[in-house]
Amino acid sequence: TFILNGFSLFMIGSSSRDYLLNKEISDYDFVTDATPTEIEKFLNVDSTFKKFGVVKLKYMGKHIDIATLRMENDYINNRHPSNITFVKDIFLDYKRRDFTINTLCMDSNGNIIDLLGAMEDLDNKVIKTVGSPRYKIKEDSLRILRSIRFASNLGFRIDDKTKHYLRKYGYL
């Protein structure tokens, strides 16, 4: 674990996924147990998305998003959570994520933290939702387009169960 001003920090999501696929990383995603307010005390960040637990900064020409570990629930408009709770447990944060391949987490030593078997999905080049695709796609319909984009850009296939619900909820 990388410790920054007393808080844990992990690289996650597309950054870890692309690193493991030997792809160029265009922007970086990190998670931390620090809240946006705590982060503002030691980093000069863009706090536009603070209410969602996300701050942004630029460093050496790279875009960096730092998200506070959180749980989300009660999505409205098939897109945004109405309730966010900051947590300290990375597993609780994993559950809110869209696709397994975006849950891969890396610590400062390059160790992979894979609590959901995402490495297998990465190795098999498959897009699967975290948990039930029926609920994941309904709660945030942008995941329909994201899954297609990931499959296209990465050369992956979408697993059958996820594909079924992408079609079923495509009208969203």
Side-chain angles (χ1 to χ4, degrees):
T1 304
F2 183 71
I3 303 295
L4 179 64
N5 284 2
F7 299 102
S8 298
L9 184 72
F10 300 93
M11 188 167 71
I12 196 162
S14 63
S15 306
S16 298
R17 180 198 71 221
D18 290 352
Y19 175 81
L20 292 167
L21 292 172
N22 294 314
K23 293 188 174 288
E24 183 179 343
I25 301 173
S26 58
D27 56 39
Y28 289 84
D29 297 311
F30 291 91
V31 290
T32 181
D33 55 352
T35 65
T37 301
E38 291 167 331
I39 294 168
E40 289 171 325
K41 292 178 182 174
F42 57 87
L43 286 176
N44 183 19
V45 294
D46 173 354
S47 296
T48 303
F49 298 97
K50 180 178 177 175
K51 72 178 183 176
F52 296 109
V54 178
V55 296
K56 299 175 175 279
L57 69 131
K58 262 191 145 177
Y59 180 73
M60 296 179 62
K62 297 287 185 179
H63 295 278
I64 300 169
D65 289 350
I66 303 172
T68 300
L69 295 170
R70 65 188 187 269
M71 294 185 336
E72 301 173 341
N73 51 8
D74 299 328
Y75 279 70
I76 53 175
N77 300 325
N78 299 102
R79 179 67 186 108
H80 297 100
S82 64
N83 186 18
I84 293 173
T85 305
F86 295 139
V87 297
K88 299 289 185 187
D89 182 350
I90 198 163
F91 185 70
L92 295 173
D93 184 80
Y94 269 35
K95 291 179 182 181
R96 73 170 182 82
R97 296 189 174 275
D98 54 6
F99 305 106
T100 58
I101 61 169
N102 291 333
T103 65
L104 290 166
C105 189
M106 188 177 295
D107 69 14
S108 61
N109 296 318
N111 297 314
I112 301 299
I113 301 166
D114 179 9
L115 301 175
L116 301 178
M119 281 301 296
E120 183 177 338
D121 293 339
L122 194 69
D123 291 341
N124 292 326
K125 298 185 175 190
V126 65
I127 307 291
K128 286 184 192 172
T129 60
V130 173
S132 168
R134 177 181 181 195
Y135 298 109
K136 281 293 179 178
I137 293 164
K138 276 186 83 171
E139 73 184 8
D140 183 350
S141 57
L142 183 62
R143 291 174 177 153
I144 296 168
L145 297 176
R146 286 174 55 84
S147 65
I148 294 166
R149 184 186 72 185
F150 291 142
S152 175
N153 289 348
L154 298 171
F156 284 24
R157 68 175 181 81
I158 299 171
D159 88 303
D160 292 338
K161 191 172 182 183
T162 301
K163 191 182 298 183
H164 169 79
Y165 286 102
L166 293 175
R167 289 182 179 133
K168 182 173 182 168
Y169 297 121
Y171 68 92
L172 295 173

